[in-house]
Amino acid sequence: MASLKALKLRIGSVKSTQKITKAMKMVAAAKLRRAQQSAEAGRPYSSRMTDVVQSLASRVTAGPQAPKLLAGTGKDDTHLIVLATADRGLAGAFSSNVVRAARRKAEELTAQGRTVLFYIVGRKGRPVIQRFYPKGIIAQYDTSEMKAPTYANAQAIAKDLVDRYMTDGIDVVHLAYANFRSTLVQEPTIDQIIPVQAGAANDTEATARSGPPAAVEYEPDEEEILADLLPRNIAIQIYRALLENQAGFYGSQMTAMDNATRNAGDMINRLSIQYNRQRQAAITTELVEIISGAEAL
């Protein structure tokens, strides 16, 4: 059984930890508000850009003149998964949930005979992927110095992906990230970003938002517009994923620190009860010894 001194030191240590977790919860809550606002503000633009690109893509006839980012390589052999996770921990299962979803996708593709490669964004996903796919990681984008995602960061990642898609024999690119729903729910999501999928399922949503499609003439033609919009759309989808990831990270961290603070409080209560019982037992023992000595005299 632990001594009174050891229990007192343990209680003090847990109280110090509780102060840290409580402060981290408050910091995460403050950062979450800004990150959530940024994520929510980016969703309409990202969704509308996807609608525009898909609308243009549906009007373009696949052929040698069609952009490669739209028409694809004509093969479906090599898939690249862009895995976006956090750089720091203490956020519950936030990063591990995204990594788990990416691994499931990779296992499905491997079972179909496809080659799977990984492009890592953030540090938390690399150790797990390196353990299961030691030769599958082709690059990593360092976000350790990035306080908040910027469009410039997304552009840099998108440019690197497009260059690799054009030259490295990659056929399909997927983006894995955590879609922020609430502080308790961050939904792992995997979207195909290259080649662009024309006539996707959200055409119904677009029609519901904006009504029936109007007759539109494009100047210059659709191919030239797509040549400019397709790389931009990739950057925007990556930017949205980074914003969603940041909001999801702070939401998960706030929940984890709240749980840790409450668990620390429960532990302090248990240790305090144990300390008081042992202290009372020691006092009782001393009183018995004193009374026994007095009676002996």
Side-chain angles (χ1 to χ4, degrees):
M1 184 178 292
S3 65
L4 288 175
K5 183 177 180 181
L7 283 172
K8 193 171 184 178
L9 291 174
R10 181 78 185 279
I11 291 171
S13 175
V14 176
K15 283 183 177 179
S16 298
T17 302
Q18 187 184 42
K19 290 179 182 179
I20 294 172
T21 56
K22 188 174 182 180
M24 290 184 67
K25 174 193 169 184
M26 295 174 65
V27 171
K31 291 183 176 180
L32 171 62
R33 285 192 290 271
R34 295 192 294 269
Q36 184 175 354
Q37 289 172 356
S38 298
E40 291 175 347
R43 288 171 186 169
Y45 186 80
S46 170
S47 178
R48 192 57 181 162
M49 172 65 83
T50 301
D51 293 340
V52 170
V53 171
Q54 290 175 347
S55 174
L56 284 168
S58 64
R59 303 168 190 270
V60 175
T61 304
Q65 302 301 322
K68 188 177 178 181
L69 293 176
L70 171 64
T73 61
K75 298 184 295 182
D76 189 30
D77 298 333
T78 304
H79 289 244
L80 176 65
I81 298 178
V82 182
L83 177 58
T85 61
D87 286 303
R88 302 185 302 278
L90 298 178
F94 171 75
S95 293
S96 60
N97 285 340
V98 183
V99 173
R100 195 176 297 115
R103 281 186 56 204
R104 284 198 298 267
K105 181 68 174 179
E107 289 169 0
E108 291 174 7
L109 293 171
T110 302
Q112 297 170 8
R114 311 291 194 269
T115 300
V116 180
L117 304 173
F118 287 89
Y119 187 105
I120 306 297
V121 179
R123 293 185 298 180
K124 283 299 178 179
R126 185 179 184 92
V128 178
I129 298 301
Q130 200 162 28
R131 184 164 69 250
F132 289 94
Y133 299 91
K135 298 182 180 180
I137 299 176
I138 62 171
Q140 178 172 355
Y141 185 83
D142 184 17
T143 57
S144 58
E145 302 297 328
M146 186 175 65
K147 294 183 179 180
T150 65
Y151 184 61
N153 298 129
Q155 280 183 311
I157 297 172
K159 184 178 184 305
D160 193 15
L161 289 175
V162 171
D163 291 343
R164 293 177 183 276
Y165 178 74
M166 294 297 185
T167 59
D168 291 358
I170 297 169
D171 301 316
V172 182
V173 179
H174 307 274
L175 177 61
Y177 63 99
N179 202 358
F180 177 77
R181 298 299 186 190
S182 68
T183 55
L184 297 176
V185 180
Q186 295 83 38
E187 180 184 0
T189 304
I190 300 180
D191 296 330
Q192 179 178 318
I193 57 174
I194 305 176
V196 174
Q197 293 177 301
N202 66 346
D203 284 347
T204 304
E205 297 179 10
T207 302
R209 287 196 304 268
S210 58
V216 178
E217 287 190 10
Y218 293 96
E219 180 66 33
D221 58 22
E222 289 89 340
E223 287 83 357
E224 292 186 40
I225 296 175
L226 280 172
D228 179 70
L229 282 186
L230 288 173
R232 187 178 304 181
N233 178 60
I234 294 169
I236 288 170
Q237 302 311 317
I238 293 172
Y239 185 41
R240 177 191 173 182
L242 295 178
L243 292 176
E244 296 281 350
N245 256 18
Q246 187 184 49
F249 171 78
Y250 287 129
S252 184
Q253 187 179 65
M254 187 181 74
T255 302
M257 292 301 101
D258 180 57
N259 292 336
T261 301
R262 286 190 283 105
N263 290 340
D266 294 340
M267 184 177 292
I268 290 170
N269 291 336
R270 290 196 301 270
L271 291 173
S272 297
I273 291 171
Q274 185 179 352
Y275 175 82
N276 290 332
R277 284 176 177 173
Q278 286 189 222
R279 183 169 177 271
Q280 186 65 43
I283 293 173
T284 302
T285 301
E286 290 178 2
L287 287 175
V288 170
E289 290 175 352
I290 292 171
I291 294 170
S292 298
E295 289 178 352
L297 293 175

